[in-house]
């Protein structure tokens, strides 16, 4: 036994020795931060989806993948990738917490993946830099830190092969959603938007921070999959070498202005002059960014994932639901409208989401529910049309 109070859980087809939830509690609930080594069972969903993304990615390479999990905790991600993804040549795992190392090694041997895994007690930036030399780089790097991924982005970009995938999680949603503006400025170099659509704005700020690190090395970013669930944001970016392509990625960075008085929003390129007042009602507008203004996911990848064999994936029902919504909302313009807020401004009863979507579609607008909020829609209709529609229903 490597953790004083431990238990064994199964995720996918992987067995993991983890801290016993009943031994590390706060106010009667498991508190992962109280355990000597970090493991959060709620993130099984994120790990399941990552396994599926890797299984879809592996056949696109004609050689086995090199993977890095530099913030490994008990090793849940790295061990699962080694065990559950075919065609892996090596998984390099690291953690700064010396107590994590024997736990990771134990989980590696529990699953018989020793030949595929190397484990280091190392700062993540140092570990990634050791692999930044051409010939040693990774095909897939998973940044799953406490809080923001930003301290590790530069090293991760440098340690990634051409056309490799950078996956990142941010759990500091309060700064990204504009609850702590100064922290967002410090961590992401961006102004957050404390608005109705703050979750999408926050996710786009996180992606923009990674894109800015990539383009300085002439790496273009293609956003493959992004979502906001529970207490975190997650995104997968494919980075491809080429100055012209990187220029195109830079052109997808910009600002969003939002009027809380009337619900009007607009997107602007980084170089554009931003208005200080609303084009529609003249009230002062909030601005947020730099943000990624391009697509948040690839419809092709989502389609592939939806067809994937999800045997042994415990969270498959939730994954299917998320992917279906992501596919439906993909390609619609940035930001979403919470119908309750629109109706509250108009002092109207709130129509159903389905009726609102149906009426907008009947007027020729593309419209979809969004995974960001159960009572919100994404649409290419302007706010004036959304108001007309909810007023008629
Ligand atoms: C959120 S936990 C990782 C959870 C894990 N990826 C999983 O899915 O179960 C973050 C981990 O990063 C480690 N850590 C924090 N700062 C680090 C650094 N600078 N270098 C390496 N590891 C670090 C912590 O000890 C902790 O285990
Ligand atoms: Zn306005």
């Amino acid at each position: 036994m490597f953790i004083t109070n431990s238990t064994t859980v199964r995720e996918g087809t992987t067995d993991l020795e983890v801290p016993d939830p009943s031994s590390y509690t706060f106010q009667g609930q498991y508190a992962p931060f109280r355990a000597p080594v970090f493991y959060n069972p709620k993130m099984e969903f994120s790990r399941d989806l990552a396994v599926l993304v890797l299984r879809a990615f592996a056949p696109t390479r004609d050689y086995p993948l090199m993977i890095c999990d530099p913030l490994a905790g008990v090793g849940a991600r790295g061990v699962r990738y080694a065990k559950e993804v075919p065609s892996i040549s090596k998984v390099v795992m690291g953690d700064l917490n010396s107590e994590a190392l024997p736990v990771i090694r134990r989980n590696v041997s529990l699953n018989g993946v020793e030949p595929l895994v190397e484990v280091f007690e190392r700062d993540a930036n140092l570990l990634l830099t050791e692999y930044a030399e051409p010939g040693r780089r990774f095909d897939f790097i998973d940044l799953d830190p406490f809080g923001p991924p930003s301290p590790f982005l530069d090293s991760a970009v440098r340690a990634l092969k051409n056309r490799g995938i950078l996956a990142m999680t941010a759990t500091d949603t309060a700064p990204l959603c504009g609850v702590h503006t100064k922290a967002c400025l410090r961590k992401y170099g961006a102004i957050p938007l404390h608005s109705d659509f703050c979750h999408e704005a926050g996710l786009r700020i996180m992606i923009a921070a990674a894109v800015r690190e990539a383009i300085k090395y002439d790496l273009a970013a293609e956003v493959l999959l992004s979502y906001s669930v529970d207490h975190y944001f997650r995104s997968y970016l494919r980075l491809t070498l080429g100055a012209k392509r990187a220029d195109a990625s830079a052109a997808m960075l910009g600002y969003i202005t939002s009027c809380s008085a009337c619900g009007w929003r607009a997107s602007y390129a980084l170089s554009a002059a931003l208005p200080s007042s609303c084009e529609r009602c003249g009230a002062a507008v909030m601005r947020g960014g730099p943000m990624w203004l391009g697509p948040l996911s690839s419809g092709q990848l989502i389609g592939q994932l939806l067809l994937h064999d999800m045997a042994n994936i415990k969270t498959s029902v939730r994954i299917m639901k998320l992917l279906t919504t992501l596919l439906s909302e993909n390609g619609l313009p940035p930001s979403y409208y919470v119908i309750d807020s629109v109706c509250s401004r108009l002092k109207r009863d709130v129509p159903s989401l389905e009726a609102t979507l149906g009426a907008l579609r009947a007027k020729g607008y593309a419209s979809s529910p969004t995974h960001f909020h159960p009572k919100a829609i994404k649409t290419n209709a302007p706010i004036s049309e959304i108001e007309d529609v909810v007023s008629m229903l």
Side-chain angles (χ1 to χ4, degrees):
M1 189 168 308
F2 292 83
I3 310 171
T4 317
N5 299 299
S6 70
T7 186
T8 304
V9 295
R10 174 163 275 219
E11 287 193 11
T13 55
T14 303
D15 293 316
L16 297 166
E17 181 171 313
V18 302
D20 180 358
S22 63
S23 302
Y24 305 99
T25 58
F26 180 67
Q27 295 178 339
Q29 293 212 313
Y30 173 51
F33 284 97
R34 296 216 154 172
V37 180
F38 191 88
Y39 171 75
N40 186 350
K42 289 194 183 140
M43 296 298 272
E44 181 173 356
F45 176 77
S46 164
R47 290 184 283 268
D48 279 351
L49 196 38
V51 166
L52 296 178
V53 170
L54 266 169
R55 283 188 194 153
F57 175 50
T60 68
R61 299 291 215 196
D62 53 11
Y63 56 85
L65 302 182
M66 282 274 293
I67 292 178
C68 186
D69 174 13
L71 302 143
V74 300
R77 283 173 190 274
V79 175
R80 286 197 63 183
Y81 301 156
K83 178 95 180 266
E84 298 179 39
V85 180
S87 195
I88 300 288
S89 66
K90 196 194 278 183
V91 179
V92 173
M93 283 191 266
D95 204 287
L96 204 50
N97 175 2
S98 57
E99 291 187 73
L101 274 288
V103 183
I104 300 172
R105 291 201 178 98
R106 163 86 175 140
N107 284 327
V108 169
S109 71
L110 254 183
N111 292 282
V113 290
E114 294 93 331
L116 293 179
V117 174
E118 280 185 53
V119 184
F120 298 93
E121 182 182 336
R122 203 75 104 250
D123 171 74
N125 280 321
L126 190 53
L127 181 64
L128 288 164
T129 299
E130 284 168 0
Y131 280 85
E133 187 185 321
R136 294 200 86 199
R137 294 179 186 163
F138 299 106
D139 298 284
F140 184 94
I141 297 174
D142 197 332
L143 294 179
D144 186 46
F146 295 141
S150 42
F152 310 107
L153 287 172
D154 176 72
S155 322
V157 164
R158 287 187 294 108
L160 200 65
K161 276 187 209 164
N162 188 23
R163 294 186 60 75
I165 294 182
L166 171 62
M168 65 192 147
T169 313
T171 57
D172 57 336
T173 53
L176 283 165
C177 287
V179 180
H180 308 300
T181 302
K182 285 182 186 166
C184 189
L185 265 171
R186 270 199 322 278
K187 301 294 175 190
Y188 297 93
I191 303 165
L193 265 179
H194 196 38
S195 64
D196 271 2
F197 60 98
C198 64
H199 284 84
E200 181 173 343
L203 177 60
R204 289 181 180 279
I205 285 173
M206 178 191 79
I207 295 169
V211 172
R212 295 202 318 268
E213 297 295 346
I215 57 179
K216 72 190 185 195
Y217 297 111
D218 289 345
L219 288 164
E222 183 190 352
V223 183
L224 296 177
L225 187 72
S226 314
Y227 59 89
S228 152
V229 296
D230 304 334
H231 63 291
Y232 66 95
F233 299 146
R234 175 92 170 154
S235 191
Y236 296 80
L237 271 57
R238 176 161 47 207
L239 302 185
T240 305
L241 194 60
K244 280 219 171 97
R245 287 197 184 111
D247 287 342
S249 296
M252 302 304 268
L253 298 174
Y255 293 92
I256 293 186
T257 57
S258 168
C259 174
S260 44
C262 78
W264 177 82
R265 293 104 195 244
S267 306
Y268 299 87
L270 276 186
S271 55
L274 300 189
S276 55
S277 54
C278 174
E279 269 183 22
R280 186 165 178 242
C281 76
V285 288
M286 300 184 287
R287 67 173 65 173
M291 291 182 203
W292 173 254
L293 298 176
L296 290 176
S297 296
S298 144
Q300 194 194 350
L301 175 64
I302 299 174
Q304 259 179 286
L305 294 174
L306 279 167
L307 294 175
H308 225 83
D309 176 10
M310 295 205 198
N312 298 311
I313 299 289
K314 269 193 246 120
T315 66
S316 60
V317 171
R318 190 179 178 204
I319 288 179
M320 296 290 277
K321 188 167 178 259
L322 174 70
L323 291 175
T324 305
T325 311
L326 290 180
L327 192 58
S328 151
E329 69 185 271
N330 200 38
L332 286 168
S335 102
Y336 54 90
Y337 298 88
V338 179
I339 298 303
D340 292 33
S341 304
V342 176
C343 293
S344 140
R345 268 198 310 273
L346 298 174
K347 300 193 171 39
R348 314 283 310 198
D349 290 341
V350 182
S352 73
L353 207 65
E354 292 68 32
T356 309
L357 291 169
L360 282 167
R361 286 178 191 140
K363 286 186 147 205
Y365 293 107
S367 309
S368 167
T370 173
H371 80 289
F372 287 110
H373 195 296
K375 291 184 172 175
I377 59 165
K378 262 184 163 295
T379 178
N380 57 4
I383 181 66
S384 52
E385 289 281 26
I386 300 169
E387 287 184 354
D388 280 358
V389 158
V390 297
S391 301
M392 280 176 342
L393 289 168

